Amino acid sequence: MATLITLKFLLSTAFHLSSTLAKSDTYIIHMDTSAMPKAYSSLYTWYLSMLCSVSESSKATATSTTISSKLIYTYANSIHGFSATLTVSELETLKKLPGYISSTPDRPLTVHTTHTSQFLGLSSLSGAWPASNYGKGVIIGLVDTGIWPESQSFSDEGMAKVPPRWKGECMSGVQFNSSLCNKKLIGARFFNKGLIANNPKLKVRMNSPRDGSGHGTHTSSIAAGNYVKGSCYFGYATGIARGIAPRACVAMYKAIWRHGVYSSDVVAAIDQALQDGVDVLSLSLGLSLNGIFLEDDAIAVATFAAMEKGVLVVASAGNDGPSYWTLINGAPWLLTVGAGTIDREFEGSLTLGNGVQINFKSLYPGNSSPSHVSLAFMDACDSVTELKKVINSIVVCREDSSISSQIDNAVAAGVLGAVFISNSALLEVYIRSSFPAAFINVNDGQTIIDYIKKCNNPTGSLQFRKTVIGTKPAPMVDSYSSRGPFLSCPNILKPDILAPGSLVLASWSPISSVAEDQSGLLYSNFNLMSGTSMATPHVAGVAGLLKAAHPDWSPAAIRSALVTTASPLDNTLSHIKDASNNNFPASPLDMGAGHINPNKALDPGLVYDATAEDYIKVLCAMNYKPEQIRIFTKSSQKCNNRSLDLNYPSFITFFNDYDSSSDEKVVKEFWRTVTNAEEVGTAYTAKLTGIDGLNVYVEPQRLVFEQKYEKQSYKLTLEGPKLLEKEVVYGSISWVDDDGRYVVRSPIVATNLVPESP
């Protein structure tokens, strides 16, 4: 009997092992293309031959069709290599072949929205818009959910001819043909081979560049949408919609699908965008990694090539805030964007029978209630039966345990309207209500309750669709925006900058619902959305303006101009606040250098430039091995020079020696080189803001430039304890020219954080 049980166990184990080995997964393979034998006419045929040699299919069943079906993409611009479907044993065999460098699993990624151009200070009278001709001739590429080409935001009215250097195209597909492109929307492609390889039974309905969800239409119209009069969201935010660079061209690379998004498709999209000739690339998606190595991040690897080709890549920081270490897309060569609020709010109002009016935040899309409706205080609103007894009233509910339950009960009872009273910090989550509702804090709520109790016939009316401009303070760092440091490269301060991301109005796909009321789902050509997804195309649009005005600027120079001119102040001239931290001042780990200022970025005075070699020195200093660095550079590199001290327009250092009880001081030194971007020579003097618990020095304290493009270097020194008392402290260094025209400001952060911090 024991022998039989043992035999069954061995057979079971063998079956499980063979099933595991036979299971196919998708991988991105990095290759040394110099190893390709001369007998092969192309990388495609070489890769196909390799897959044929490692295939476990029998010679009788293996055909060119079955082998080619394993090859998903061939990459030539963003990375060198391919993606393929392989079993574990096939992958192990492939690793032994000449030219193989490394492989990573094809991981799923996550997707991270009228008035914002005014909030950023853009004007037709002066500044970045007229100086850049509104972005004319610049091509902004986006990797997203596709685009709705019929949207007025993508009309080519007023557009110039398509830049002759453009090599892209419009791909036909389901409900999309190439004739839908024009002088505004000059390219549209789609990529889903990786998605299908990872989900073989999946049927893709909208198999084309057309946007079925709205996200890609939203982000692309923010970056470079044309002028649209009378845009609004059900009466909210009425005005003229336009993108940040309204005369720039748009190229859409659809790699995000309602079923998911995979690294192999995103890399293919970036690869194609670089070949097509985009100037700026906007990425509102990212990979959340458990590991800490940049080579495992497909976006970090693919965008290194973009930087080498002179393409600035703007990427979202993520929506996993407000904790530290939640930021993604923090590779040193990326421009990483956090999200803030703007000076606009959407409101409703409750007017009591005694004339008292209470305002509340709302995006309810329906009409106002009749005037002088009976008010009924129902306390916890925990009984649908009791609520039905006052069905023609506006019920008033005081939070007991769950606002969600109260909302469900009010909807089930079919009451005319409702007022929900709570001190919850999450009240704004409910502002897109499907029926007339007000969400009010406890103080205002008590006013309502007192009125009801004192009045024999309490009445009220609800009104909606109010837009308030000029609210203060703004901007604020919104709670969802992911915070630094960046786990994979903590020695570079991230995020870089803050931009409008909360409740941004932009174009939308009319087949994707935006709201709901008692009649059902509602649709619109415009939508109000929040996220770092919305902040990122704002920065991509501004980068497009700078590229149009300064076509010779490198990606690092454009990033430097944006960072050093960003404002740390809100519209009350106080330090920008953190909405998730009781409105205390935000640190650079929350907002980078501050809020983007397009007009000042146009003329920054000095820039911090960097080349591919500078980034390689950082990778070397992070102890990356030559084969790891080759994944980024696609060529062999010797780490003769190592330095974490990248010529970056910001500073971060760690005083986090928790094992030391010594009072000994620690000295941290940074070297930076700035380039004069002005036509004439000038002199700058350093201005330091103090940092709590640290001594800060700069040498020299004065920089003198005789001509344009001249470079000068300085050393910044921070002296402090081995372990900082405070978690995060910060200050800045500003170089101010003698005429007071330029203030070239860089944030400085010192912290005792360690990766294990919550």
Side-chain angles (χ1 to χ4, degrees), residues 166-457:
W166 177 242
K167 301 175 183 177
E169 66 177 48
C170 276
M171 294 176 63
S172 296
V174 176
Q175 299 180 29
F176 197 102
N177 61 65
S178 59
S179 64
L180 291 171
C181 285
N182 54 28
K183 292 182 289 185
K184 163 61 76 174
L185 176 61
I186 64 173
R189 300 178 185 264
F190 62 101
F191 305 83
N192 58 20
K193 293 179 181 178
L195 171 71
I196 295 171
N198 283 279
N199 302 273
K201 297 181 180 180
L202 180 66
K203 300 296 183 183
V204 178
R205 293 174 57 189
M206 193 67 76
N207 199 31
S208 73
R210 184 171 291 281
D211 183 9
S213 75
H215 190 275
T217 301
H218 203 269
T219 56
S220 51
S221 63
I222 291 171
N226 213 330
Y227 298 84
V228 183
K229 295 180 179 179
S231 59
C232 70
Y233 172 84
F234 301 105
Y236 296 99
T238 300
I240 299 175
R242 71 282 223 184
I244 300 302
R247 288 294 177 253
C249 299
V250 172
M252 173 55 66
Y253 300 85
K254 181 178 178 180
I256 304 173
W257 304 81
R258 60 186 297 264
H259 314 282
V261 52
Y262 283 84
S263 300
S264 57
D265 292 327
V266 172
V267 173
I270 296 173
D271 201 75
Q272 188 64 58
L274 298 184
Q275 182 173 324
D276 288 346
V278 301
D279 298 305
V280 178
L281 194 56
S282 180
L283 304 178
S284 291
L285 74 168
L287 180 64
S288 298
L289 292 173
N290 294 323
I292 59 172
F293 298 110
L294 281 175
E295 77 267 23
D296 292 328
D297 185 343
I299 289 179
V301 174
T303 54
F304 188 93
M307 173 272 301
E308 289 182 300
K309 293 177 181 292
V311 176
L312 176 66
V313 182
V314 186
S316 53
N319 297 335
D320 296 318
S323 297
Y324 294 125
W325 302 104
T326 54
L327 181 141
I328 59 174
N329 290 330
W333 42 89
L334 294 175
L335 177 53
T336 312
V337 185
T341 64
I342 64 175
D343 65 338
R344 179 180 63 189
E345 291 184 353
F346 306 109
E347 293 183 349
S349 64
L350 170 64
T351 303
L352 304 179
N354 61 5
V356 173
Q357 186 177 91
I358 297 171
N359 295 322
F360 53 88
K361 293 182 180 180
S362 176
L363 281 173
Y364 173 61
N367 296 318
S368 302
S369 69
S371 59
H372 306 299
V373 175
S374 174
L375 290 177
F377 178 50
M378 304 300 290
D379 208 356
C381 292
D382 53 2
S383 170
V384 174
T385 301
E386 292 300 312
L387 289 172
K388 285 184 176 180
K389 295 178 181 179
V390 290
I391 192 171
N392 292 320
S393 301
I394 297 173
V395 299
V396 178
C397 310
R398 181 163 51 191
E399 183 182 14
D400 182 26
S401 57
S402 169
I403 296 181
S404 296
S405 297
Q406 292 180 336
I407 294 172
D408 292 341
N409 291 341
V411 171
V415 297
L416 193 63
V419 177
F420 300 98
I421 301 170
S422 172
N423 259 347
S424 170
L426 300 176
L427 281 181
E428 290 189 31
V429 172
Y430 303 103
I431 65 174
R432 291 182 189 257
S433 59
S434 61
F435 73 111
F439 299 89
I440 289 174
N441 63 44
V442 169
N443 290 337
D444 288 335
Q446 192 60 50
T447 300
I448 300 169
I449 294 171
D450 291 343
Y451 164 71
I452 293 173
K453 289 181 176 180
K454 293 177 182 179
C455 184
N456 293 328
N457 182 30

